[in-house]
């Protein structure tokens, strides 16, 4: 799956494929692969998404909109975003899915499912 | 935030920055932006991560390892991966976080926190 | 653990202990116990909690407050509440925890942690 | 909703209705009710269910089965069970749902949906 998560990257350029490679090496150096089963990684992804949500759970809409102007909250947001993305990429690596291709295919399906000048309903469907 | 999620991309190349742009246009064309608050998107991300986990919840380790050899399950996995990534990217867009930079910074912190030839413990920390 | 989840109940009375017994018999009659490991049930509980949250994810505060006046949403709410409680009770059964005792102990700890005339902060701690 | 979550309880007896009352008083004494909207409580419930799952995410089936023999893990399990139950009860209070009635109704529906001597399939449906 060389380059599968972002095409051929320039050296030093920040790409999903490059980060995926660093995560693979990070886990291998620490012999963590046995823990990285699809089921465990899906659980860990869900746990981390919950930790991101936790930052917002008691915030008013106004406080939530200003979350990044609070340095401590901003740090937590970046940290949880990184954890969610890390586990998503690691999950995709072990099951052999290219997350960028999966998302591109889903956007195309949704462009047919939800024709463009559609009015917003009160329930927003998957991938808006 | 030009190019913030993956550097300058070639036209037609599949990058996180390119998909982010398509998601922004998709939501704008349907006037879904008012729903896309940080709190709502964090909730939606968590819900979708739960749907990915749901595929695995009753599977044995062997069944989970072979998840992609079942076409129906493989489709659901790709679909939920796409939803998680879509909401993560949309969340990052509204709070102004670059997910690739956040992950790169986290990997660097973890390389110090968990020095490389460390023995695997039975609790695997964040970002393995 | 006779009566562990709610004391001695009158016949026909609706108690957590009585429902727990029905769940035990339900799973046994269908030979589902092998699937009901602590890890699987914790995952299922988390998945169902996500499905409850899904009902609310795009709702405004006003719509969320009126959720039970929409019959279809009201049915979904009751259904997801039942699923969350079912998996919580089943989880507690397999690990041997009495959920009512656990909650009573936690309330007592919190009465010390958060002395009563405390001002509400903008982050609401566990069990409020 | 007097006694709604478990019938008339003896003084001192541990019932869901009694604990619900203590949670109502706890939140009122700290003026936390404004935070306790249905949407916030559904989010908090999901977050706490994730924290329960976190205990298990990297455990082998054998380690997970023995979770309560590790005192530190056993304490965390009881603590997270309490949090999940607390938020579930608080959610039910604000939306006016009796969790015991909801669960009883669901068990009855499932007894029809999954007739008793049914073989276990590899996907265990809601409320097993």
């Amino acid at each position: 799956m060389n380059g599968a998560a972002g095409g051929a990257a320039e050296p030093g350029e920040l790409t999903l494929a490059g980060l995926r490679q660093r995560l693979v090496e990070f886990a291998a150096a620490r012999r963590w692969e046995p823990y990285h089963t699809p089921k465990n990684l899906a659980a860990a992804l869900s746990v981390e998404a919950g930790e991101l949500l936790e930052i917002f759970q008691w915030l008013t809409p106004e406080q939530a909109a200003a979350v990044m102007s609070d340095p401590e909250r901003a740090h937590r947001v970046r940290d949880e975003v990184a954890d969610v993305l890390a586990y998503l990429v690691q999950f995709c690596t072990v099951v052999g899915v290219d997350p960028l291709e999966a998302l591109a295919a889903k956007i195309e399906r949704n462009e047919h499912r939800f024709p463009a000048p559609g009015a917003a309903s009160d329930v927003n469907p998957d991938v808006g």
Side-chain angles (χ1 to χ4, degrees), chain A residues 50-126:
Chain A
E51 293 185 7
L52 182 62
L53 178 58
E54 190 178 20
I55 301 169
F56 294 93
Q57 66 186 347
W58 306 119
L59 300 189
T60 62
E62 294 71 31
Q63 290 171 322
V67 69
M68 301 306 285
S69 61
D70 174 314
E72 189 267 339
R73 282 185 192 146
H75 176 78
R76 284 177 68 200
V77 166
R78 282 195 202 91
D79 205 52
E80 300 301 347
V81 161
D83 285 342
V84 170
L85 184 56
Y87 285 128
L88 181 64
V89 167
Q90 292 177 308
F91 173 85
C92 286
T93 301
V94 300
V95 298
V97 165
D98 183 324
L100 299 182
E101 281 182 12
L103 179 51
K106 177 97 190 206
I107 293 173
E108 267 150 52
R109 284 199 300 279
N110 277 349
E111 280 167 352
H112 289 91
R113 249 173 95 199
F114 308 107
S121 72
D122 70 336
V123 177
N124 188 345
D126 289 347

Side-chain angles (χ1 to χ4, degrees), chain A residues 9-28:
Chain A
E10 296 291 310
E13 198 188 349
L14 203 56
T15 66
L16 202 53
L19 291 169
R20 190 187 59 170
Q21 187 55 33
R22 287 179 64 183
L23 289 169
V24 166
E25 289 163 11
F26 188 94

